[in-house]
Amino acid sequence: MHPHFNRKTCYNDYNKREFGEKNCLTCECVPFFLQISRIRQLFQGFMNEGEGIMKKISRRAFLSVMAAAGAAAALTACGGGSGSSTAASGGASVGGSQPGGHKLTAYAWDKNFNIPALNAAAADYKENVDPEFELEVIEQSGGGDIENAITLAGSAHDYSNLPDIVQFQDHYIQRYVADYPDAFVPVEGADIDWDGFSKEKLSYSIVDGVHYGVPVDNSTVIFAYRTDLLAEVGKTVDDMTGIKWSDLTDIGEQVYAKTGKYLFSTSADGGDLVYMMMQSEGVAEFKDGEPWITENETLHRVCETIVDMGKRKACYLANSWSDYIDQSIQGDMVAGVLNGNWIIPTMEAVTENSGKWEITTIPTLDGGEGYASNGGCGLYITANCGNVDLAKSFLAYTFGGSTQTYDNALRDGGVVTTVLKCADSDVYNEGVEFFNNEPIYKQIVEMGSHVPVIEQSDYHFRAGVYLITAIINTVNGSKLDDELANAEQQLRFEMGL
């Protein structure tokens, strides 16, 4: 397990970061990513020059093939894996189940979050459906490992090394289904009430009207506030609910002047804040598969708002993910936290603030409660599954709507359901001491039912990097229009447009 906040993959996850950048120097994967960096540099010229085939093949898919090849080479050079679960990442042979058996295999990452949820589901299915059932979870270092495995298998048209089930990041799955349709088995026909899920969460796993996966978690965005610090400027959480971003900025300026703390923070090495604010408006950063930046009035207003919040010290623009987590949140620099609800364990690490927090929805540009989601994943059956009926039955019974699965997933790993009925359980209605004994998990599930569906892209994270860079440059004196034009140009180039 990398020594980072466990709701994010490693800093070196090459699908979200530039190769060779932001290496933490403490991860075992650093030598591997240095090798991949060299591979990327070798082929970058070809990617930039290609005018024919590269118009038909996504750059992301091409890079993934190179990364997968590098992973295989790295394993060979080291004499193979160590036999541990982590050694199975990157495409090592695991294999699927046998027809008629009672065992399934799965790739997943994060032993403190996703894997406890899978174990809770396996125990539920074994207890209540099949006493002989067994789920072998092969731990991966991050989502990139699984994407590599699919890419390598799909490119070779050989799926024999894949497990039965893979965990996959929401923002990338549609591109992978499009690029490698034979790698996945649809879950159509599974006994699942699809209407019982949050519509936005479910939208990621539907491709051309076909259900390919089952959602696992709920990444609904919360805005948590320190009630004691709001009180110092005469405000309550109710006052912060449904307000305009401009009003929040005014209050944030007052909070900083009174307490020396920013109202909230965001990481400047990603565009999470931009995306969350845009989704709460029901508007995307992409339109018809292409970047929609310079002509996007809503995006312009969002960026202007963030610039204003940064200049007036309502929002702390942390210079890295570590600065965001370790300094601004756990270092007690802020009076509020805005992110997907997976941020809660990070907040709870500051035990002296227990009981001082409450949550609500996020503001909008023109006023009214805003809803968004940030992050998340689902489970997908691969072409190598030898017992598709068992895999469908397992996913349907557990993550398809089992209260027992989701109660224990919440207790053991902090995974919140996106199945609306599961929020009616006693566990979800329990008050949480850290949040002033409010039943926040039931509240989060209800909030998730209102998140609007917007256009997605597998360049979601790259767009965020370019946009937050434009915002930082504007705070430092550049013109926003020029910075957004540059961001759009760079993103279009990266997408091969």
Side-chain angles (χ1 to χ4, degrees):
M1 181 69 181
H2 297 296
H4 306 310
F5 173 58
N6 63 24
R7 296 299 185 272
K8 287 277 186 177
T9 51
C10 174
Y11 288 170
N12 303 301
D13 183 339
Y14 73 90
N15 288 305
K16 298 181 184 177
R17 313 288 177 184
E18 288 294 329
F19 295 125
E21 293 181 359
K22 302 182 181 72
N23 284 328
C24 60
L25 302 182
T26 60
C27 294
E28 295 177 0
C29 59
V30 168
F32 164 76
F33 277 92
L34 291 176
Q35 179 176 351
I36 298 306
S37 179
R38 296 187 187 103
I39 292 173
R40 185 189 188 190
Q41 291 169 4
L42 178 64
F43 285 92
Q44 189 67 53
F46 169 74
M47 288 175 58
N48 291 343
E49 295 297 329
E51 295 294 338
I53 190 171
M54 288 308 295
K55 291 292 185 180
K56 299 178 181 179
I57 302 175
S58 74
R59 292 175 173 229
R60 177 183 173 78
F62 181 78
L63 277 177
S64 295
V65 172
M66 295 302 102
L75 284 172
T76 301
C78 295
S82 65
S84 66
S85 294
T86 303
S89 66
S93 179
V94 174
S97 60
Q98 298 300 315
H102 300 270
K103 179 180 178 178
L104 296 172
T105 57
Y107 278 173
W109 71 90
D110 199 336
K111 65 182 179 182
N112 296 315
F113 186 66
N114 299 307
I115 292 177
L118 280 167
N119 289 337
D124 183 5
Y125 194 80
K126 182 180 181 70
E127 177 184 346
N128 296 298
V129 180
D130 181 358
E132 297 181 67
F133 179 73
E134 179 184 354
L135 178 68
E136 180 185 359
V137 180
I138 300 93
E139 183 181 357
Q140 310 293 289
S141 65
D145 287 352
I146 299 172
E147 291 153 20
N148 283 348
I150 295 294
T151 299
L152 190 60
S155 300
H157 302 288
D158 179 3
Y159 306 106
S160 61
N161 289 329
L162 294 178
D164 298 298
I165 295 170
V166 291
Q167 176 191 348
F168 222 92
Q169 298 184 82
D170 287 341
H171 284 289
Y172 291 147
I173 185 59
Q174 295 200 4
R175 169 54 59 190
Y176 274 80
V177 171
D179 285 349
Y180 309 110
D182 295 337
F184 302 95
V185 177
V187 292
E188 295 290 344
D191 186 16
I192 298 175
D193 177 14
W194 299 112
D195 291 334
F197 289 85
S198 163
K199 300 302 181 187
E200 190 269 347
K201 178 68 177 182
L202 191 62
S203 68
Y204 292 100
S205 57
I206 301 175
V207 182
D208 296 330
V210 177
H211 291 279
Y212 274 88
V214 180
V216 172
D217 55 7
N218 179 327
S219 297
T220 299
V221 171
I222 61 170
F223 209 139
Y225 295 96
R226 282 271 301 275
T227 56
D228 57 326
L229 297 178
L230 286 182
E232 293 199 30
V233 294
K235 300 296 181 180
T236 67
V237 171
D238 286 343
D239 296 321
M240 308 302 292
T241 302
I243 65 173
K244 298 178 182 179
W245 279 108
S246 58
D247 293 333
L248 178 138
T249 303
D250 292 339
I251 295 170
E253 193 172 39
Q254 296 169 29
V255 169
Y256 187 85
K258 184 75 172 181
T259 69
K261 296 184 186 296
Y262 297 84
L263 188 56
F264 73 109
S265 58
T266 190
S267 175
D269 65 356
D272 288 356
L273 179 57
V274 178
Y275 177 80
M276 291 184 289
M277 291 177 67
M278 288 292 291
Q279 188 172 37
S280 71
E281 303 294 331
V283 181
E285 302 153 339
F286 296 86
K287 188 175 184 179
D288 299 326
E290 298 189 6
W292 187 31
I293 296 177
T294 55
E295 302 296 323
N296 191 331
E297 180 182 352
T298 302
L299 179 57
H300 198 282
R301 291 180 65 191
V302 164
C303 292
E304 284 182 325
T305 299
I306 298 173
V307 169
D308 189 41
M309 290 191 293
K311 288 181 175 180
R312 295 170 61 185
K313 299 188 182 302
C315 177
Y316 175 66
L317 302 175
N319 59 31
S320 68
W321 184 254
S322 177
D323 188 26
Y324 172 64
I325 294 295
D326 301 333
Q327 301 302 319
S328 71
I329 297 178
Q330 294 188 341
D332 209 20
M333 291 174 57
V334 293
V337 174
L338 170 66
N339 219 319
N341 63 80
W342 41 256
I343 201 70
I344 288 173
T346 296
M347 299 170 59
E348 291 175 329
V350 188
T351 56
E352 58 267 30
N353 291 332
S354 180
K356 300 176 182 178
W357 292 92
E358 290 183 10
I359 72 168
T360 187
T361 52
I362 67 178
T364 53
L365 292 170
D366 298 318
E369 294 187 68
Y371 303 91
S373 179
N374 189 35
C377 63
L379 293 171
Y380 297 82
I381 302 173
T382 77
N384 195 40
C385 182
N387 198 338
V388 172
D389 288 342
L390 176 63
K392 286 184 179 181
S393 176
F394 167 66
L395 294 177
Y397 182 83
T398 56
F399 294 107
S402 168
T403 296
Q404 180 173 324
T405 288
Y406 275 112
D407 280 355
N408 289 327
L410 179 59
R411 288 192 184 104
D412 299 341
V415 174
V416 180
T417 183
T418 189
V419 180
L420 305 181
K421 70 175 185 179
C422 291
D424 294 331
S425 75
D426 291 341
V427 171
Y428 275 79
N429 282 273
E430 291 174 358
V432 179
E433 182 179 359
F434 192 85
F435 291 91
N436 198 23
N437 291 312
E438 293 292 322
I440 63 165
Y441 293 111
K442 180 178 178 61
Q443 186 179 352
I444 288 169
V445 176
E446 196 280 328
M447 289 163 56
S449 68
H450 301 290
V451 177
V453 177
I454 61 174
E455 182 173 332
Q456 297 295 331
S457 169
D458 57 325
Y459 286 89
H460 160 81
F461 292 104
R462 299 301 299 143
V465 170
Y466 289 127
L467 289 170
I468 197 66
T469 299
I471 288 167
I472 297 297
N473 291 343
T474 303
V475 170
N476 291 332
S478 297
K479 293 183 178 180
L480 180 59
D481 286 344
D482 292 342
E483 290 295 331
L484 291 179
N486 184 52
E488 184 168 76
Q489 181 182 20
Q490 291 186 74
L491 185 56
R492 289 184 65 85
F493 175 79
E494 185 166 333
M495 294 175 69
L497 299 173

